[in-house]
Amino acid sequence: MNKTTPLKSLYSFAAVAQTGSMSAAADMLNVSHSAVSQSIKSLEEYLGIELFQRVNRTVVLNAKGRRYYKQISPALEQISKATQSLMDKGQSHRLTLNMINSLAMHWWIPRVDRFNQFSDKLDVRLSNLPGRFSLEQEGVDIALIHDSAQEWQDYYCEKLGSDELVMVASPDIVPDNATIEDLLHQFPAISVTNDRRKNDWNIWCNAQRLPIPNFGHNLSFVATIQALQATIRQLGVCITHKIFIKDYVAQGFLMEIGEPVPNPYQDFYFVCPPDQLNNEFVLLLRSWIKAEFAN
């Protein structure tokens, strides 16, 4: 019986052949340099021949190594494709979608019923990672981003819609024909202090050519949901993102005051690794998200 060929060593051999470097191969395989070096040594001992010429810190395939790589690389590629195909068939309908908590609360959850009616094929799992991160390392298939596109240049990034800031208040406290200046004079300002929202009042006031107001006592909150609940309870007026308050306005809990102001620093984007655009389920979810933003 033939001895079993060490597949682990073959993948290390192929990685070094492709990159010409033990270190680069280690990075490709996400293992240590010594692990790659030991795999190559084991393979050469197993075959009884040397496969590389070693010159200083570089490694180059010798004649036997080139011939061996040419013979085995199609088989390794076939193994990789067959494995990926099996994984895709079993898991591609299950997608991890990332969005910040505010979008999950105010945009995704109100639309879950509509999404379920749109497709019974997809199983979407939410994650709420903030800021810039690696989709691949975090196991995220798609990210719905409220950010600048410059932060996501390594990915496919498609604009979904523009961000707008708007003043809101409970309709029960807004007098007829009241102006923005009247409301700011009559009611305290409610603010959100996290890094993503702390400049909302500044941006809005600059666009309206109004002075930044003094914020109400005990009316500064870390989360948007807290500030909106305080506004609904008639504790003051708030500047927030229009996309977050559509349902509250439709249900009569809040009303928009004046015209919305474009936010020059953030918009909404669909983000995914470029190769995910070959996944029919990613494209299906993308089409639904785009349609929702278009409405």
Side-chain angles (χ1 to χ4, degrees), residues 223-267:
T224 298
I225 184 65
Q226 298 165 345
L228 293 180
Q229 286 299 313
T231 309
I232 289 170
R233 291 180 177 274
Q234 306 177 22
L235 299 181
V237 295
C238 182
I239 300 300
T240 191
H241 302 258
K242 187 169 181 174
I243 197 172
F244 296 161
I245 49 92
K246 285 186 176 181
D247 274 18
Y248 291 132
V249 172
Q251 295 165 10
F253 294 118
L254 293 173
M255 66 179 296
E256 297 183 30
I257 311 298
E259 294 297 319
V261 168
N263 182 355
Y265 303 107
Q266 294 176 331
D267 286 309

Short mmCIF file of all heavy atoms in Angstrom, two decimals, residues 223-267:
data_model
loop_
_atom_site.label_atom_id
_atom_site.label_comp_id
_atom_site.label_asym_id
_atom_site.label_seq_id
_atom_site.Cartn_x
_atom_site.Cartn_y
_atom_site.Cartn_z
N ALA A 223 -27.06 56.99 23.96
CA ALA A 223 -27.67 56.28 22.83
C ALA A 223 -28.81 57.08 22.23
O ALA A 223 -29.56 57.78 22.93
CB ALA A 223 -28.18 54.91 23.28
N THR A 224 -28.97 56.95 20.90
CA THR A 224 -30.05 57.64 20.19
C THR A 224 -31.42 57.23 20.71
O THR A 224 -32.31 58.08 20.88
CB THR A 224 -29.96 57.35 18.68
OG1 THR A 224 -28.72 57.85 18.17
CG2 THR A 224 -31.11 58.00 17.92
N ILE A 225 -31.62 55.95 20.98
CA ILE A 225 -32.92 55.47 21.44
C ILE A 225 -33.32 56.16 22.75
O ILE A 225 -34.51 56.46 22.96
CB ILE A 225 -32.91 53.93 21.61
CG1 ILE A 225 -34.28 53.40 21.99
CG2 ILE A 225 -31.87 53.48 22.60
CD1 ILE A 225 -35.34 53.57 20.95
N GLN A 226 -32.36 56.44 23.61
CA GLN A 226 -32.66 57.11 24.87
C GLN A 226 -33.11 58.55 24.62
O GLN A 226 -34.08 59.04 25.21
CB GLN A 226 -31.42 57.09 25.77
CG GLN A 226 -30.97 55.69 26.16
CD GLN A 226 -29.57 55.67 26.75
OE1 GLN A 226 -28.81 56.65 26.62
NE2 GLN A 226 -29.21 54.57 27.38
N ALA A 227 -32.39 59.24 23.72
CA ALA A 227 -32.74 60.62 23.41
C ALA A 227 -34.12 60.71 22.77
O ALA A 227 -34.91 61.62 23.07
CB ALA A 227 -31.69 61.23 22.49
N LEU A 228 -34.44 59.78 21.88
CA LEU A 228 -35.75 59.80 21.23
C LEU A 228 -36.87 59.50 22.22
O LEU A 228 -37.96 60.09 22.15
CB LEU A 228 -35.77 58.82 20.06
CG LEU A 228 -34.87 59.17 18.88
CD1 LEU A 228 -34.98 58.12 17.79
CD2 LEU A 228 -35.21 60.56 18.32
N GLN A 229 -36.62 58.60 23.16
CA GLN A 229 -37.64 58.33 24.18
C GLN A 229 -37.87 59.56 25.06
O GLN A 229 -39.02 59.87 25.43
CB GLN A 229 -37.21 57.13 25.04
CG GLN A 229 -37.34 55.80 24.35
CD GLN A 229 -38.77 55.48 23.95
OE1 GLN A 229 -39.71 55.63 24.75
NE2 GLN A 229 -38.97 55.08 22.71
N ALA A 230 -36.80 60.28 25.38
CA ALA A 230 -36.95 61.52 26.15
C ALA A 230 -37.74 62.56 25.36
O ALA A 230 -38.56 63.30 25.92
CB ALA A 230 -35.57 62.07 26.52
N THR A 231 -37.53 62.61 24.04
CA THR A 231 -38.27 63.55 23.19
C THR A 231 -39.75 63.17 23.13
O THR A 231 -40.63 64.03 23.22
CB THR A 231 -37.66 63.57 21.78
OG1 THR A 231 -36.25 63.78 21.87
CG2 THR A 231 -38.27 64.69 20.95
N ILE A 232 -40.02 61.89 22.95
CA ILE A 232 -41.42 61.42 22.92
C ILE A 232 -42.13 61.77 24.23
O ILE A 232 -43.32 62.12 24.22
CB ILE A 232 -41.45 59.90 22.65
CG1 ILE A 232 -41.03 59.62 21.20
CG2 ILE A 232 -42.83 59.31 22.94
CD1 ILE A 232 -40.80 58.15 20.91
N ARG A 233 -41.40 61.73 25.33
CA ARG A 233 -41.99 62.04 26.64
C ARG A 233 -42.03 63.54 26.92
O ARG A 233 -42.22 63.97 28.07
CB ARG A 233 -41.23 61.30 27.74
CG ARG A 233 -41.44 59.78 27.67
CD ARG A 233 -40.69 59.04 28.77
NE ARG A 233 -40.98 57.63 28.72
CZ ARG A 233 -42.01 57.04 29.31
NH1 ARG A 233 -42.87 57.77 30.01
NH2 ARG A 233 -42.18 55.73 29.23
N GLN A 234 -41.82 64.33 25.87
CA GLN A 234 -42.04 65.78 25.92
C GLN A 234 -41.04 66.50 26.82
O GLN A 234 -41.35 67.55 27.40
CB GLN A 234 -43.47 66.09 26.37
CG GLN A 234 -44.54 65.41 25.54
CD GLN A 234 -45.95 65.66 26.04
OE1 GLN A 234 -46.22 66.65 26.75
NE2 GLN A 234 -46.87 64.77 25.71
N LEU A 235 -39.80 65.96 26.90
CA LEU A 235 -38.79 66.58 27.75
C LEU A 235 -37.99 67.66 27.02
O LEU A 235 -37.22 68.38 27.65
CB LEU A 235 -37.84 65.52 28.30
CG LEU A 235 -38.47 64.43 29.17
CD1 LEU A 235 -37.42 63.46 29.66
CD2 LEU A 235 -39.23 65.04 30.33
N GLY A 236 -38.15 67.75 25.70
CA GLY A 236 -37.41 68.75 24.96
C GLY A 236 -37.44 68.45 23.47
O GLY A 236 -38.25 67.65 23.00
N VAL A 237 -36.53 69.11 22.72
CA VAL A 237 -36.42 68.89 21.28
C VAL A 237 -35.07 68.25 20.99
O VAL A 237 -34.11 68.42 21.74
CB VAL A 237 -36.56 70.21 20.49
CG1 VAL A 237 -37.96 70.79 20.66
CG2 VAL A 237 -35.50 71.23 20.92
N CYS A 238 -35.01 67.52 19.89
CA CYS A 238 -33.81 66.73 19.60
C CYS A 238 -33.45 66.85 18.13
O CYS A 238 -34.33 66.98 17.27
CB CYS A 238 -34.09 65.27 19.97
SG CYS A 238 -32.68 64.15 19.71
N ILE A 239 -32.16 66.80 17.83
CA ILE A 239 -31.68 66.67 16.46
C ILE A 239 -31.26 65.22 16.25
O ILE A 239 -30.46 64.68 17.00
CB ILE A 239 -30.47 67.59 16.18
CG1 ILE A 239 -30.86 69.05 16.41
CG2 ILE A 239 -29.95 67.38 14.76
CD1 ILE A 239 -31.98 69.54 15.53
N THR A 240 -31.81 64.59 15.23
CA THR A 240 -31.50 63.19 14.97
C THR A 240 -31.48 62.94 13.47
O THR A 240 -31.68 63.86 12.66
CB THR A 240 -32.51 62.26 15.67
OG1 THR A 240 -32.02 60.91 15.59
CG2 THR A 240 -33.88 62.35 15.03
N HIS A 241 -31.26 61.69 13.09
CA HIS A 241 -31.16 61.31 11.68
C HIS A 241 -32.54 60.88 11.18
O HIS A 241 -33.21 60.08 11.82
CB HIS A 241 -30.13 60.20 11.52
CG HIS A 241 -28.78 60.61 12.02
ND1 HIS A 241 -27.76 60.99 11.18
CD2 HIS A 241 -28.30 60.74 13.29
CE1 HIS A 241 -26.70 61.33 11.91
NE2 HIS A 241 -27.01 61.18 13.17
N LYS A 242 -32.93 61.44 10.05
CA LYS A 242 -34.30 61.26 9.57
C LYS A 242 -34.69 59.79 9.44
O LYS A 242 -35.83 59.42 9.70
CB LYS A 242 -34.47 61.98 8.23
CG LYS A 242 -35.90 61.99 7.73
CD LYS A 242 -36.08 62.92 6.55
CE LYS A 242 -37.55 62.92 6.11
NZ LYS A 242 -37.79 63.93 5.05
N ILE A 243 -33.74 58.95 9.04
CA ILE A 243 -34.05 57.54 8.85
C ILE A 243 -34.46 56.86 10.15
O ILE A 243 -35.19 55.87 10.14
CB ILE A 243 -32.83 56.81 8.24
CG1 ILE A 243 -33.24 55.46 7.66
CG2 ILE A 243 -31.71 56.67 9.25
CD1 ILE A 243 -32.15 54.77 6.88
N PHE A 244 -34.03 57.43 11.30
CA PHE A 244 -34.32 56.80 12.58
C PHE A 244 -35.74 57.09 13.08
O PHE A 244 -36.22 56.39 13.98
CB PHE A 244 -33.34 57.28 13.66
CG PHE A 244 -31.91 56.89 13.41
CD1 PHE A 244 -30.88 57.57 14.05
CD2 PHE A 244 -31.57 55.85 12.55
CE1 PHE A 244 -29.55 57.22 13.83
CE2 PHE A 244 -30.26 55.50 12.32
CZ PHE A 244 -29.24 56.19 12.96
N ILE A 245 -36.39 58.11 12.53
CA ILE A 245 -37.66 58.55 13.15
C ILE A 245 -38.87 58.39 12.23
O ILE A 245 -39.96 58.86 12.56
CB ILE A 245 -37.55 60.01 13.66
CG1 ILE A 245 -36.97 60.96 12.58
CG2 ILE A 245 -36.66 60.08 14.89
CD1 ILE A 245 -37.97 61.63 11.74
N LYS A 246 -38.71 57.72 11.10
CA LYS A 246 -39.83 57.58 10.16
C LYS A 246 -41.02 56.90 10.81
O LYS A 246 -42.17 57.34 10.66
CB LYS A 246 -39.38 56.81 8.91
CG LYS A 246 -38.53 57.63 7.96
CD LYS A 246 -38.25 56.87 6.67
CE LYS A 246 -37.48 57.74 5.69
NZ LYS A 246 -37.21 57.02 4.42
N ASP A 247 -40.79 55.82 11.53
CA ASP A 247 -41.89 55.11 12.17
C ASP A 247 -42.52 55.93 13.28
O ASP A 247 -43.75 55.93 13.44
CB ASP A 247 -41.40 53.77 12.72
CG ASP A 247 -41.44 52.68 11.66
OD1 ASP A 247 -41.51 53.03 10.47
OD2 ASP A 247 -41.39 51.49 12.02
N TYR A 248 -41.70 56.63 14.07
CA TYR A 248 -42.24 57.45 15.15
C TYR A 248 -43.14 58.56 14.60
O TYR A 248 -44.17 58.90 15.19
CB TYR A 248 -41.10 58.07 15.96
CG TYR A 248 -40.30 57.09 16.79
CD1 TYR A 248 -38.91 57.11 16.76
CD2 TYR A 248 -40.93 56.16 17.61
CE1 TYR A 248 -38.17 56.22 17.52
CE2 TYR A 248 -40.19 55.26 18.37
CZ TYR A 248 -38.82 55.30 18.32
OH TYR A 248 -38.08 54.42 19.07
N VAL A 249 -42.73 59.14 13.47
CA VAL A 249 -43.54 60.19 12.84
C VAL A 249 -44.84 59.60 12.30
O VAL A 249 -45.93 60.15 12.49
CB VAL A 249 -42.75 60.89 11.72
CG1 VAL A 249 -43.64 61.84 10.92
CG2 VAL A 249 -41.56 61.67 12.32
N ALA A 250 -44.74 58.46 11.62
CA ALA A 250 -45.93 57.81 11.05
C ALA A 250 -46.93 57.43 12.13
O ALA A 250 -48.15 57.49 11.92
CB ALA A 250 -45.52 56.58 10.25
N GLN A 251 -46.43 57.08 13.32
CA GLN A 251 -47.30 56.66 14.41
C GLN A 251 -47.77 57.82 15.28
O GLN A 251 -48.56 57.64 16.20
CB GLN A 251 -46.58 55.63 15.28
CG GLN A 251 -46.28 54.32 14.55
CD GLN A 251 -45.28 53.45 15.28
OE1 GLN A 251 -44.92 53.72 16.42
NE2 GLN A 251 -44.80 52.41 14.61
N GLY A 252 -47.30 59.04 14.97
CA GLY A 252 -47.75 60.22 15.70
C GLY A 252 -47.02 60.50 17.00
O GLY A 252 -47.44 61.39 17.76
N PHE A 253 -45.92 59.79 17.26
CA PHE A 253 -45.17 60.03 18.49
C PHE A 253 -44.26 61.24 18.38
O PHE A 253 -43.97 61.91 19.37
CB PHE A 253 -44.33 58.80 18.86
CG PHE A 253 -45.14 57.60 19.23
CD1 PHE A 253 -45.05 56.44 18.48
CD2 PHE A 253 -46.01 57.62 20.32
CE1 PHE A 253 -45.80 55.32 18.82
CE2 PHE A 253 -46.76 56.51 20.66
CZ PHE A 253 -46.66 55.36 19.91
N LEU A 254 -43.76 61.51 17.17
CA LEU A 254 -42.88 62.65 16.93
C LEU A 254 -43.33 63.39 15.69
O LEU A 254 -44.02 62.83 14.83
CB LEU A 254 -41.43 62.17 16.73
CG LEU A 254 -40.70 61.55 17.93
CD1 LEU A 254 -39.36 60.98 17.49
CD2 LEU A 254 -40.51 62.56 19.05
N MET A 255 -42.88 64.64 15.56
CA MET A 255 -43.08 65.39 14.33
C MET A 255 -41.78 66.09 13.95
O MET A 255 -40.97 66.44 14.81
CB MET A 255 -44.22 66.41 14.47
CG MET A 255 -43.97 67.54 15.45
SD MET A 255 -45.37 68.73 15.53
CE MET A 255 -45.36 69.40 13.86
N GLU A 256 -41.57 66.22 12.65
CA GLU A 256 -40.39 66.93 12.16
C GLU A 256 -40.65 68.43 12.19
O GLU A 256 -41.74 68.90 11.85
CB GLU A 256 -40.08 66.50 10.73
CG GLU A 256 -39.71 65.03 10.59
CD GLU A 256 -39.35 64.66 9.17
OE1 GLU A 256 -38.84 65.53 8.44
OE2 GLU A 256 -39.59 63.50 8.78
N ILE A 257 -39.62 69.16 12.58
CA ILE A 257 -39.71 70.62 12.65
C ILE A 257 -38.77 71.20 11.60
O ILE A 257 -37.55 70.98 11.64
CB ILE A 257 -39.30 71.15 14.04
CG1 ILE A 257 -40.03 70.38 15.16
CG2 ILE A 257 -39.56 72.64 14.13
CD1 ILE A 257 -41.53 70.51 15.14
N GLY A 258 -39.31 71.95 10.65
CA GLY A 258 -38.48 72.55 9.62
C GLY A 258 -38.00 71.53 8.60
O GLY A 258 -38.46 70.38 8.55
N GLU A 259 -37.07 71.96 7.76
CA GLU A 259 -36.55 71.12 6.69
C GLU A 259 -35.33 70.32 7.16
O GLU A 259 -34.55 70.80 7.99
CB GLU A 259 -36.14 71.98 5.49
CG GLU A 259 -37.31 72.68 4.82
CD GLU A 259 -38.30 71.69 4.23
OE1 GLU A 259 -37.85 70.67 3.64
OE2 GLU A 259 -39.51 71.91 4.38
N PRO A 260 -35.15 69.11 6.66
CA PRO A 260 -33.95 68.33 7.03
C PRO A 260 -32.68 68.97 6.47
O PRO A 260 -32.71 69.70 5.47
CB PRO A 260 -34.21 66.96 6.41
CG PRO A 260 -35.19 67.21 5.31
CD PRO A 260 -36.04 68.37 5.75
N VAL A 261 -31.56 68.67 7.11
CA VAL A 261 -30.26 69.22 6.74
C VAL A 261 -29.36 68.07 6.30
O VAL A 261 -29.23 67.08 7.02
CB VAL A 261 -29.63 69.94 7.94
CG1 VAL A 261 -28.16 70.27 7.68
CG2 VAL A 261 -30.42 71.21 8.27
N PRO A 262 -28.74 68.14 5.11
CA PRO A 262 -27.81 67.08 4.69
C PRO A 262 -26.64 66.96 5.66
O PRO A 262 -26.09 67.96 6.13
CB PRO A 262 -27.33 67.54 3.31
CG PRO A 262 -28.37 68.52 2.84
CD PRO A 262 -28.89 69.20 4.08
N ASN A 263 -26.27 65.73 5.95
CA ASN A 263 -25.10 65.46 6.78
C ASN A 263 -23.91 65.24 5.85
O ASN A 263 -23.85 64.24 5.14
CB ASN A 263 -25.34 64.23 7.64
CG ASN A 263 -24.16 63.93 8.57
OD1 ASN A 263 -23.13 64.60 8.53
ND2 ASN A 263 -24.32 62.93 9.43
N PRO A 264 -22.94 66.14 5.83
CA PRO A 264 -21.83 66.02 4.86
C PRO A 264 -20.80 64.95 5.24
O PRO A 264 -19.90 64.67 4.45
CB PRO A 264 -21.19 67.41 4.89
CG PRO A 264 -21.48 67.92 6.27
CD PRO A 264 -22.82 67.37 6.64
N TYR A 265 -20.93 64.34 6.41
CA TYR A 265 -19.89 63.42 6.89
C TYR A 265 -20.30 61.95 6.86
O TYR A 265 -19.44 61.08 6.98
CB TYR A 265 -19.50 63.80 8.33
CG TYR A 265 -19.04 65.23 8.44
CD1 TYR A 265 -19.85 66.20 9.05
CD2 TYR A 265 -17.83 65.64 7.91
CE1 TYR A 265 -19.44 67.51 9.14
CE2 TYR A 265 -17.40 66.96 7.99
CZ TYR A 265 -18.22 67.89 8.61
OH TYR A 265 -17.82 69.20 8.68
N GLN A 266 -21.58 61.67 6.72
CA GLN A 266 -22.03 60.28 6.76
C GLN A 266 -23.16 60.07 5.76
O GLN A 266 -24.01 60.95 5.58
CB GLN A 266 -22.55 59.89 8.15
CG GLN A 266 -21.50 59.89 9.24
CD GLN A 266 -22.11 59.61 10.61
OE1 GLN A 266 -23.26 59.92 10.87
NE2 GLN A 266 -21.32 59.00 11.48
N ASP A 267 -23.15 58.91 5.11
CA ASP A 267 -24.27 58.46 4.29
C ASP A 267 -24.45 56.96 4.55
O ASP A 267 -23.80 56.38 5.41
CB ASP A 267 -24.02 58.75 2.80
CG ASP A 267 -24.17 60.23 2.47
OD1 ASP A 267 -25.20 60.81 2.84
OD2 ASP A 267 -23.25 60.80 1.86
#
